Amino acid sequence: MDATGCGSQLTFWKVGQQQVTVDFEGGQVVTDAGLLLLRDFENRLGVIQQLAARFPDPRSPKCVVHSVEAILTQQVYQYLAGYFDANDAQAVRRDPVFLALNAHSPDQELASLASGSTLSRFAYSFTRREAELPLQERAVLLEQRDSQLERIAVVNRYLVDLFVRTRQERPAYVILDLDATDDPTHGQQLLTGFHGHYDQYQYLPLLVFDGQSGFPLAAWLRPGTVHAACGAVQTLQEIVEQLRTTWPELLIIVRGDGGFAIPAMYEFCEREGLLFAIGMPTNAVLKRRTEETLAQVVTEFEMSREPLQKFQVFEDYQADSWSHPRRIVAKVEVNAQGTNRRFMVTNMSGDPQGLYHGFYVQRGKVPEQPIGELKNGLGADRLSSHGFTANSLKFCLHALAYAIFVLHREATVSIPEVSRASVATVRNTLFKVGALVKTSVRRIWFHISATWPNRELFLRVQQALDQFLAALLTPRTAAVSAPLLLLK
């Protein structure tokens, strides 16, 4: 019996002549050893390190135990490992893997990472400076508020900078995919609201992705009842300016659904020389102008009973709020379920069917799939802080975690079973790896079983990551990986 009065050995059934027995003498065993490989890759790119250098931090230096970089690293890797809530910090703050990720040795006496309370205070930019002064005399409150707001802008600017510096060559064009998504709330979160379309209390974040890689370029949390296009033009303007600072003549294409069909969006794109294809809500005028085409497809369907689509283009369509006519592509279809008409406004020339199927509906891959991975794979819809800016920062860090994952995906493009897999699949296949931890004066060993079925895949991924870094980083910018992290 141990000190708690519980048995130290459990005996179960027999397998032939062998008794199945469990004891608690296995030493230090961890379950997330695969994160070490991802951390080495990310660390050599300097992703979190460079963001931390830009981060406003109003905390009093005398009270700081965990640096900005340490907190960001812990938070991002918790998300990547599937620990989505601040309370989950209690489960990992003394875990040898997470200690090693933050350059702490498991042998260090009383070594631990930030608690859930510390992570929450950090999300609020909490500081005790000037706490002895009356509220109206505390200049630090303004500093705290400025920090809360600036952090969100810093992360969004950084996402674009990270995208630019991790391209191995200048892209011929960049597609900016905009979308809004529902983020349900279940508590007393500030600025939540009931949205009739989704029939729930929620936030309504704005997300922008690179249309080819799915790399997140913007992640803005918004109140739950705002218009889908709220802040979209300003967000696009900032992204376009950053991209063209590096690539002045870059061709940029904007793609979005009907929620972004507002005159300000079209005018901005035309003024900045951007191509665009944006869904157009149905209205009485467009219905009337497609009635003849609809009648034709219905007649042909009744004769053949085969699903049918036809496309129609209006070059002269001008809504009352538009300053001039614009091109409308109309898709008219009929099948066994009935008829359907869809519309798209664009300044792109070419075959309407090719524009619609070859470009616009590719939104099913980006941004729909990245949004699904953010929410289902990285828990971006679990924003449980009370304050809006705290939840906004958390949402940004979820996007940063996804950016790291996308870079991992790009680096392993030669390994389809990894590069085409979802966040959850890669987590279960490569990140959730059991290992026995042993330490010496010069090494921290994570011993992974030789019979682990994904061993060869793990080694192929390591080789692919090294090749990606070798092609991307120059000797001047390449970082030395942490000598403590050694996988066996």
Side-chain angles (χ1 to χ4, degrees):
M1 303 292 286
D2 60 18
T4 65
C6 300
S8 59
Q9 179 174 296
L10 303 177
T11 301
F12 299 113
W13 58 90
K14 284 188 176 182
V15 178
Q17 297 298 314
Q18 296 174 301
Q19 187 77 55
V20 177
T21 305
V22 173
D23 64 30
F24 300 92
E25 299 177 2
Q28 283 189 307
V29 179
V30 296
T31 60
D32 298 292
L35 288 175
L36 297 168
L37 185 56
L38 181 64
R39 171 60 168 158
D40 183 64
F41 171 71
E42 172 270 315
N43 189 47
R44 290 160 70 185
L45 283 173
V47 176
I48 295 177
Q49 180 186 36
Q50 293 189 26
L51 175 60
R54 306 182 185 191
F55 230 65
D57 185 15
R59 295 178 298 170
S60 172
K62 296 179 181 179
C63 302
V64 171
V65 175
H66 305 283
S67 68
V68 171
E69 184 177 353
I71 289 179
L72 294 180
T73 301
Q74 179 182 347
Q75 192 80 82
V76 166
Y77 281 90
Q78 279 189 206
Y79 296 154
L80 288 165
Y83 304 106
F84 303 134
D85 297 320
N87 289 342
D88 291 331
Q90 304 305 120
V92 304
R93 61 188 304 226
R94 293 185 176 86
D95 185 288
V97 167
F98 282 85
L99 287 171
L101 294 176
N102 263 296
H104 292 296
S105 170
D107 281 349
Q108 292 178 358
E109 187 176 358
L110 301 179
S112 67
L113 304 180
S115 66
S117 297
T118 299
L119 294 179
S120 295
R121 288 194 296 270
F122 182 79
Y124 284 95
S125 297
F126 183 82
T127 175
R128 289 190 174 88
R129 277 190 286 176
E130 304 176 0
E132 71 282 357
L133 297 177
L135 280 175
Q136 63 273 19
E137 297 180 18
R138 296 183 191 177
V140 72
L141 293 180
L142 297 178
E143 182 183 359
Q144 180 181 1
R145 185 61 174 172
D146 289 344
S147 171
Q148 291 172 344
L149 299 176
E150 179 61 17
R151 285 173 169 187
I152 302 164
V154 162
V155 178
N156 277 278
R157 289 194 296 267
Y158 183 72
L159 288 173
V160 182
D161 289 345
L162 180 61
F163 171 77
V164 169
R165 74 177 178 88
T166 53
R167 301 307 93 191
Q168 295 195 16
E169 57 185 21
R170 184 189 187 278
Y173 60 90
V174 169
I175 300 171
L176 300 182
D177 262 312
L178 296 91
D179 210 350
T181 185
D182 63 306
D183 203 328
T185 55
H186 306 281
Q188 301 298 321
Q189 292 99 316
L190 294 178
L191 296 186
T192 187
F194 185 83
H195 198 293
H197 176 74
Y198 297 100
D199 194 28
Q200 63 185 4
Y201 285 90
Q202 63 172 51
Y203 291 124
L204 189 67
L206 171 66
L207 290 155
V208 182
F209 297 92
D210 167 50
Q212 295 176 287
S213 65
F215 193 100
L217 299 173
W220 290 94
L221 193 66
R222 301 179 299 181
T225 56
V226 300
H227 190 279
C230 178
V233 172
Q234 181 180 354
T235 298
L236 275 182
Q237 182 175 2
E238 293 171 354
I239 294 174
V240 168
E241 288 176 355
Q242 284 183 264
L243 291 176
R244 286 185 168 166
T245 297
T246 304
W247 303 309
E249 303 300 322
L250 179 67
L251 173 62
I252 299 175
I253 310 172
V254 176
R255 185 165 59 188
D257 64 16
F260 300 95
I262 59 173
M265 178 67 69
Y266 314 141
E267 291 166 5
F268 167 76
C269 292
E270 291 163 349
R271 185 170 63 251
E272 296 296 327
L274 312 181
L275 298 178
F276 63 86
I278 298 173
M280 181 76 180
T282 304
N283 60 47
V285 174
L286 292 173
K287 285 183 177 181
R288 185 172 62 250
R289 296 187 67 172
T290 53
E291 283 297 334
E292 184 177 344
T293 304
L294 179 62
Q296 291 176 1
V297 298
V298 168
T299 299
E300 293 182 29
F301 175 76
E302 290 175 347
M303 296 175 61
S304 66
R305 306 309 297 177
E306 293 292 332
L308 182 65
Q309 291 183 353
K310 285 194 175 182
F311 288 85
Q312 190 173 354
V313 175
F314 309 126
E315 303 286 358
D316 60 344
Y317 180 84
Q318 182 174 358
D320 291 340
S321 58
W322 294 7
S323 58
H324 60 85
R326 294 185 172 93
R327 190 184 199 210
I328 300 292
V329 173
K331 181 192 74 169
V332 182
E333 67 177 339
V334 61
N335 53 41
Q337 284 71 46
T339 61
N340 183 33
R341 285 177 280 190
R342 299 279 180 168
F343 304 93
M344 176 183 72
V345 56
T346 182
N347 61 352
M348 301 169 69
S349 60
D351 175 64
Q353 183 173 356
L355 283 176
Y356 193 88
H357 284 299
F359 181 72
Y360 179 72
V361 299
Q362 297 304 313
R363 295 183 64 257
K365 181 178 179 181
V366 178
E368 300 297 339
Q369 288 184 11
I371 288 175
E373 290 189 318
L374 262 174
K375 295 166 70 172
N376 301 324
L378 291 170
D381 56 351
R382 296 173 65 95
L383 304 177
S384 55
S385 291
H386 177 63
F388 181 76
T389 55
N391 282 324
S392 296
L393 177 61
K394 289 182 179 180
F395 189 71
C396 288
L397 295 183
H398 283 282
L400 178 65
Y402 186 63
I404 294 171
F405 182 81
V406 172
L407 291 173
H408 180 273
R409 177 176 283 165
E410 291 180 328
T412 56
V413 67
S414 61
I415 310 175
E417 59 265 47
V418 176
S419 61
R420 297 178 184 175
S422 66
V423 174
T425 298
V426 174
R427 176 187 295 133
N428 293 331
T429 303
L430 293 176
F431 298 165
K432 292 291 183 181
V433 185
L436 179 66
V437 184
K438 293 184 179 179
T439 61
S440 66
V441 175
R442 302 187 62 182
R443 290 286 186 271
I444 301 173
W445 294 93
F446 292 86
H447 294 277
I448 298 174
S449 172
T451 60
W452 180 42
N454 294 322
R455 177 177 181 271
E456 294 302 323
L457 179 62
F458 190 87
L459 296 176
R460 287 167 58 202
V461 168
Q462 182 183 33
Q463 183 179 19
L465 297 180
D466 287 342
Q467 291 173 348
F468 179 86
L469 289 167
L472 182 65
L473 300 179
T474 65
R476 179 181 178 184
T477 59
V480 179
S481 58
L484 278 179
L485 307 185
L486 189 63
L487 293 171
K488 182 179 181 181

